[in-house]
């Protein structure tokens, strides 16, 4: 389950982002962007997150996961499109020289502290 590694990485980034002058900060929610091709299962990620954030400022923080579609650009004709399937061939010029613009990211967009 590679979600555990990803969850650990996200928790580390989130903890580093907390203001140092705050006493007992508590995170209310964490907004994530997860690309469809990152092969992260949101349910598994949430599960791992809950385990490793116990007794940290992130304990009980709500995970808000936004799924990012896969966007492809053809380097031949410049056409851009979204896809759900890993078939990367331009529907216009049918060449296979493509660039992936989004779809693999796993990142923290924002973090909300408890009042
Ligand atoms: Zn093309």
């Amino acid at each position: 389950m590679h979600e555990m590694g990803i969850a650990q990485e996200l928790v580390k980034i989130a903890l580093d982002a907390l203001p140092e002058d705050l006493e007992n900060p508590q995170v209310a929610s964490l907004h994530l962007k997860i690309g469809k091709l990152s092969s992260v299962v949101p349910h598994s990620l949430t599960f791992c997150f809950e385990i490793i954030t116990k007794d940290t400022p992130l304990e009980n923080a709500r995970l808000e996961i936004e799924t990012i579609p896969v966007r492809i650009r053809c380097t031949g004709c410049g056409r851009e499109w979204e896809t759900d399937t890993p078939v990367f061939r331009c529907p216009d010029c049918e060449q296979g020289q493509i660039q992936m613009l989004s779809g693999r990211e796993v990142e923290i967009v924002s973090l909300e502290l408890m009042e």
Side-chain angles (χ1 to χ4, degrees):
M1 190 155 69
H2 76 142
E3 278 83 1
M4 187 50 100
I6 291 168
Q8 280 167 338
E9 193 60 30
L10 291 174
V11 165
K12 189 177 171 299
I13 294 168
L15 289 177
D16 282 349
L18 292 178
E20 278 176 27
D21 53 351
L22 222 62
E23 231 176 289
N24 300 322
Q26 272 295 318
V27 177
S29 66
L30 203 58
H31 185 170
L32 304 177
K33 268 187 179 174
I34 294 185
K36 273 193 180 160
L37 275 190
S38 65
S39 59
V40 170
V41 181
H43 168 80
S44 303
L45 185 66
T46 306
F47 177 75
C48 296
F49 182 82
E50 281 171 7
I51 295 173
I52 62 175
T53 53
K54 217 171 168 1
D55 301 323
T56 75
L58 289 161
E59 187 172 9
N60 296 325
R62 199 171 64 250
L63 272 192
E64 288 171 12
I65 298 176
E66 183 186 346
T67 309
I68 303 301
V70 183
R71 267 198 87 74
I72 308 285
R73 196 171 94 95
C74 170
T75 56
C77 66
R79 179 185 167 133
E80 288 184 16
W81 72 99
E82 283 182 10
T83 179
D84 275 338
T85 53
V87 177
F88 301 133
R89 183 171 287 275
C90 178
D92 277 354
C93 63
E94 298 205 327
Q95 66 135 337
Q97 288 281 83
I98 57 97
Q99 203 185 348
M100 199 183 303
L101 302 174
S102 70
R104 281 196 203 278
E105 58 271 84
V106 179
E107 55 192 48
I108 298 176
V109 185
S110 62
L111 181 155
E112 198 184 312
L113 289 174
M114 213 83 94
E115 294 283 318

